[in-house]
Amino acid sequence: MLICPQCKFENPNSNKFCQSCGTSLTHKVCPECSTDDVPVNALRCHNCGTECGTVFWAIIAKETTGEALGIEKNEGDEGAISSSSHLSPSSQIALGSYLDSQERYQLLDPLPAKTETAIITDVGVRVLDSQPYQISPIEAVLASQQPDLLTPSVEANGIPHLAKVYIALQSQGQRGIPPIHDAWQQGDVQVVIIEDRSHWQPLLDLWQEETTSSLKILHWCYQMTQLWALLEPVNCRQSLLDLSNLRLDEDQTLALQRLYVESSNSVPATESPEDAQVQTSAIPDQPLTIQALGRVWQALFRQSQRTQFGSVVQMLGDLDVGKIQTIAQLRSRLEEISVELEALGTATLPPIKEKNTAVPTIPQSDEPEDIISKTDDMPTVVLAMQLSSLEDAGRTDVGRQRHHNEDYFGIETKIQKLEFPKSRVLQGHGLYILCDGMGGHAGGEIASELAVNTLRQYFQKHWTANQLPTEDSIREAVYLANEAIYKLNQQDARSGVGRMGTTLVMLLIQDTQAAVAHVGDSRLYSLTRKRGLEQVTVDHEVGQREINRGVEASIAYARPDAYQLTQALGPRDENSINPDVGFFEINEDTLLLLASDGLSDNDLLETHWQTHLEPLLSSGANLERGVTELIDLANQHNGHDNITGILIRAKVRPNLES
């Protein structure tokens, strides 16, 4: 089946257009020049030459570790994998040939030949997906959320062992591990198709920059300990011991280009001789222990030509002689060093050492490592976080059934950047208000707009310092908004259902601190890569009130008045409302969404967050386009009410200037 890139609808393979939204399934739009007739199987745009094809990284691995990997052309099956011959120039698959018999994955890199000094059992190359909208068997398994299908033997279900390792780690939501796209087994050769990270920045490049701070280095070391604990149960710790495999994502978070399963004599074919030498020096011919991490860190200092600073030298020495034996102890030491550096006000590493100046080598030790559980309770963040960017976008739409729009929203964002040669501080100040009015024509829209403007004016006067307003101050603002609408109702002698009112959800952000206040059923959602989508607010409606009293949800929402509001701004005086106010900290990259019920009804966001919200966590994703697509999605599946959404993307990084 073909998955529509726009609405994710499942189409028959014969479709040229999505039968749900009409999007082309054979051509796409070039992101650079906007040409809209680029074939989906093309690597580059025919108009401007921009590479816009769907490229993956293919791993071709031979399970028998003592033999070289053979890849050759077979009659009638060009590009098929053979386990009977060595890889040599005469038997290489030519550029442009396909890796599979279905002619889907087209080679973009030449396959390396067997060398005289190493047995090649593993090859990594870039491939172009010529059928990018075709769902793969692996994706189908993951989409069905049936991980138990992966437990039978490789022979029983055709899923290579290496692919199962990726799937197992991917299910834990770890961004450091590249997601798997496809995989198959052919004889004793397994092929795994994963995200292409070959163009991501190598860790070594940034490690060697003079402006990289010591706290940043420690944070990367800490991330390595996290990955070590994750990789240990699946015997992939070797993935951390190849410097060329250590990459950084767009937020300078540590990530792996691929996984290496621990073995005694396999040499990845994509390594340069220099990389192989680094890896060989880091991997002893003995069971891996956390001492190997110390040797990797030494290699990073050596390759980057940086001098190790005193407390790190001591830590590496204690690690090597066995005074540090567990991941928990190693993390604790890293935390102690970071606190020490913060207290000293150290912002940068010592200067780059002169060339040819030796770095002391710490002798290796055979001390065993304690068994570590990957689910230990150590904190996941070593350093305090600071804001690195704050972006937002909002939109409202009348919907498909209403004649006028009673929703209203307001956004006020102030960004102040302080930048110096060795430090940069971003101060973010954001006020986001969404109101869903009620009271009929010339009623609901007046109430929602009045509430937004009253709240904006209040905080313009009472939120001036670089810290969030207090809970009492936020409550006072909400009560003033209620009073403004209530007085207008009294002045116009409105009564009963004619009294206008509005819901409210309001978010305040000051740097990495946030506060939320709400009345009614407009909601705040939070999305992070680690925790997924979470509903922050709890609706003020009859059904939820009954649940709070202990009634089962199925009974509570069987009531005819289950969705009737228990609170709203304006219909009654302030004694009838009790706004919920809460505070939280933004300590990881977060997407926040304020939504009226036209957007959140029928579990729309809970159903579609992975396709319409999660991609917006990326810095390159356009929030304006994202909120427009949310409105379109709501019109497609709901459409019975006005629809409003405000998206806020807050990205953070370790506070390295403390």
Side-chain angles (χ1 to χ4, degrees):
M1 68 183 68
L2 299 175
I3 306 299
C4 174
Q6 181 69 26
C7 69
K8 308 305 177 184
F9 186 82
E10 299 177 358
N11 295 270
N13 291 335
S14 58
N15 277 27
K16 294 185 177 180
F17 296 92
C18 175
Q19 61 190 39
S20 175
C21 68
T23 297
S24 174
L25 300 177
T26 59
H27 293 80
K28 59 186 175 183
V29 178
C30 173
E32 183 65 26
C33 68
S34 299
T35 297
D36 60 2
D37 61 345
V38 181
V40 296
N41 61 351
L43 176 63
R44 298 184 181 277
C45 171
H46 58 78
N47 183 52
C48 68
T50 297
E51 184 173 308
C52 55
T54 304
V55 176
F56 290 102
W57 188 258
I59 302 169
I60 311 168
K62 190 174 178 64
E63 290 190 324
T64 305
T65 58
E67 298 182 46
L69 178 65
I71 302 181
E72 64 176 13
K73 293 181 181 179
N74 290 340
E75 281 189 39
D77 190 11
E78 183 175 359
I81 299 170
S82 168
S83 59
S84 60
S85 64
H86 295 304
L87 184 63
S88 63
S90 61
S91 65
Q92 283 190 40
I93 304 176
L95 289 179
S97 297
Y98 292 95
L99 192 60
D100 59 319
S101 58
Q102 290 77 30
E103 296 191 349
R104 175 168 184 174
Y105 300 106
Q106 190 176 27
L107 285 171
L108 298 178
D109 300 324
L111 294 173
K114 185 184 69 170
T115 67
E116 296 180 357
T117 58
I119 296 175
I120 297 176
T121 61
D122 187 299
V123 171
V125 289
R126 292 196 317 148
V127 293
L128 173 68
D129 188 350
S130 300
Q131 304 169 30
Y133 302 156
Q134 177 70 50
I135 189 169
S136 71
I138 292 293
E139 290 178 312
V141 169
L142 294 174
S144 66
Q145 298 182 342
Q146 295 179 336
D148 56 302
L149 295 178
L150 307 178
T151 55
S153 65
V154 171
E155 294 77 16
N157 58 23
I159 298 177
H161 171 71
L162 180 58
K164 291 188 175 186
V165 175
Y166 280 93
I167 293 170
L169 294 176
Q170 187 171 325
S171 66
Q172 300 181 39
Q174 173 54 251
R175 287 191 69 220
I177 310 300
I180 188 170
H181 173 68
D182 203 350
W184 63 90
Q185 182 93 15
Q186 191 166 342
D188 58 357
V189 174
Q190 49 187 332
V191 181
V192 179
I193 309 294
I194 61 173
E195 179 182 35
D196 177 26
R197 296 181 171 182
S198 60
H199 57 286
W200 288 23
Q201 184 179 26
L203 172 64
L204 181 60
D205 286 359
L206 198 54
W207 191 292
Q208 68 186 358
E209 289 188 8
E210 188 173 359
T211 55
T212 298
S213 73
S214 56
L215 288 175
K216 187 72 171 178
I217 295 271
L218 289 174
H219 193 63
W220 287 328
C221 291
Y222 189 86
Q223 290 175 335
M224 286 189 215
T225 67
Q226 292 177 300
L227 284 172
W228 180 278
L230 183 74
L231 297 171
E232 182 180 23
V234 293
N235 295 320
C236 287
R237 291 165 294 182
Q238 182 174 327
S239 310
L240 284 166
L241 308 184
D242 175 7
L243 299 191
S244 65
N245 196 45
L246 303 179
R247 303 281 171 152
L248 297 173
D249 68 9
E250 61 184 13
D251 302 314
Q252 297 185 357
T253 298
L254 184 68
L256 300 176
Q257 181 177 342
R258 54 157 297 181
L259 293 177
Y260 291 118
V261 178
E262 293 161 24
S263 60
S264 58
N265 62 350
S266 63
V267 177
T270 52
E271 288 183 352
S272 65
E274 181 181 357
D275 291 333
Q277 183 177 0
V278 170
Q279 189 193 38
T280 302
S281 66
I283 306 174
D285 189 16
Q286 60 188 32
L288 290 177
T289 71
I290 59 170
Q291 293 166 0
L293 279 181
R295 288 187 283 274
V296 169
W297 295 339
Q298 284 192 78
L300 281 163
F301 278 109
R302 182 171 60 251
Q303 292 291 317
S304 64
Q305 299 186 344
R306 281 197 177 277
T307 303
Q308 300 168 13
F309 42 102
S311 51
V312 168
V313 173
Q314 182 64 47
M315 177 190 67
L316 292 176
D318 290 346
L319 177 62
D320 197 76
V321 300
K323 291 184 179 180
I324 303 175
Q325 295 187 345
T326 69
I327 288 292
Q329 292 170 346
L330 186 54
R331 288 177 177 172
S332 179
R333 181 64 70 87
L334 289 168
E335 290 173 344
E336 290 174 3
I337 296 173
S338 68
V339 171
E340 172 190 334
L341 292 178
E342 287 175 338
L344 293 173
T346 304
T348 58
L349 284 167
I352 297 177
K353 70 180 181 68
E354 296 294 330
K355 291 185 180 293
N356 302 322
T357 302
V359 176
T361 300
I362 300 176
Q364 298 181 2
S365 169
D366 295 331
E367 291 292 322
E369 177 198 20
D370 289 348
I371 297 176
I372 307 295
S373 167
K374 70 177 186 296
T375 57
D376 58 69
D377 294 326
M378 292 299 296
T380 57
V381 179
V382 179
L383 307 173
M385 307 303 284
Q386 70 175 24
L387 196 66
S388 64
S389 68
L390 184 65
E391 303 169 85
D392 50 62
R395 185 184 163 191
T396 186
D397 187 82
V398 69
R400 292 185 173 179
Q401 296 183 17
R402 298 294 179 90
H403 299 293
H404 61 282
N405 194 345
E406 296 182 295
D407 288 1
Y408 200 80
F409 71 90
I411 297 175
E412 285 193 14
T413 309
K414 299 176 183 177
I415 303 294
Q416 182 178 7
K417 184 173 71 172
L418 305 175
E419 190 160 358
F420 306 98
K422 294 184 179 181
S423 65
R424 181 174 70 91
V425 177
L426 189 75
Q427 294 177 337
H429 175 109
L431 175 64
Y432 311 94
I433 311 168
L434 186 155
C435 291
D436 179 356
M438 63 196 75
H441 184 64
E445 57 264 46
I446 294 176
S448 57
E449 183 175 357
L450 181 57
V452 169
N453 290 334
T454 302
L455 291 165
R456 286 181 54 249
Q457 293 168 9
Y458 176 88
F459 288 113
Q460 286 172 356
K461 296 179 180 179
H462 297 86
W463 184 13
T464 55
N466 291 327
Q467 61 181 13
L468 286 173
T470 64
E471 179 177 348
D472 288 342
S473 179
I474 294 173
R475 285 182 174 277
E476 181 181 5
V478 176
Y479 288 137
L480 285 175
N482 182 82
E483 182 181 7
I485 304 170
Y486 177 73
K487 283 184 175 180
L488 197 56
N489 275 322
Q490 295 295 94
Q491 174 184 318
D492 295 344
R494 293 174 179 254
S495 62
V497 295
R499 297 179 73 82
M500 59 185 175
T502 185
T503 68
L504 164 70
V505 60
M506 176 172 60
L507 176 69
L508 303 88
I509 292 179
Q510 182 67 56
D511 302 331
T512 59
Q513 305 297 317
V516 58
H518 90 285
V519 175
D521 61 356
S522 293
R523 296 176 177 177
L524 173 67
Y525 288 89
S526 172
L527 173 66
T528 65
R529 292 188 175 96
K530 184 183 299 181
R531 302 176 64 90
L533 182 70
E534 297 178 300
Q535 182 180 329
V536 179
T537 57
V538 178
D539 296 345
H540 294 145
E541 58 188 16
V542 172
Q544 186 62 52
R545 181 195 66 192
E546 296 304 299
I547 291 174
N548 295 341
R549 293 174 175 175
V551 178
E552 291 185 9
S554 59
I555 298 175
Y557 278 94
R559 296 174 52 129
D561 61 348
Y563 294 97
Q564 181 177 319
L565 295 181
T566 58
Q567 290 192 56
L569 297 183
R572 295 185 290 273
D573 63 25
E574 67 177 38
N575 295 320
S576 65
I577 65 168
N578 181 26
D580 286 339
V581 179
F583 294 83
F584 59 95
E585 186 172 355
I586 303 172
N587 53 25
E588 59 182 310
D589 292 348
T590 304
L591 186 73
L592 295 154
L593 171 63
L594 283 72
S596 66
D597 60 349
L599 180 56
S600 62
D601 277 352
N602 300 315
D603 294 330
L604 183 72
L605 298 170
E606 288 81 357
T607 303
H608 297 278
W609 68 269
Q610 290 175 305
T611 56
H612 284 72
L613 289 178
E614 189 171 29
L616 300 177
L617 278 168
S618 174
S619 297
N622 186 299
L623 288 186
E624 295 283 355
R625 182 183 305 165
V627 74
T628 297
E629 291 177 354
L630 280 176
I631 298 293
D632 293 343
L633 181 71
N635 268 320
Q636 179 182 351
H637 293 279
N638 289 335
H640 59 277
D641 199 354
N642 306 145
I643 306 165
T644 304
I646 301 175
L647 284 170
I648 305 102
R649 181 169 59 215
K651 301 187 81 69
V652 297
R653 61 185 176 88
N655 186 352
L656 306 177
E657 285 82 36
S658 298

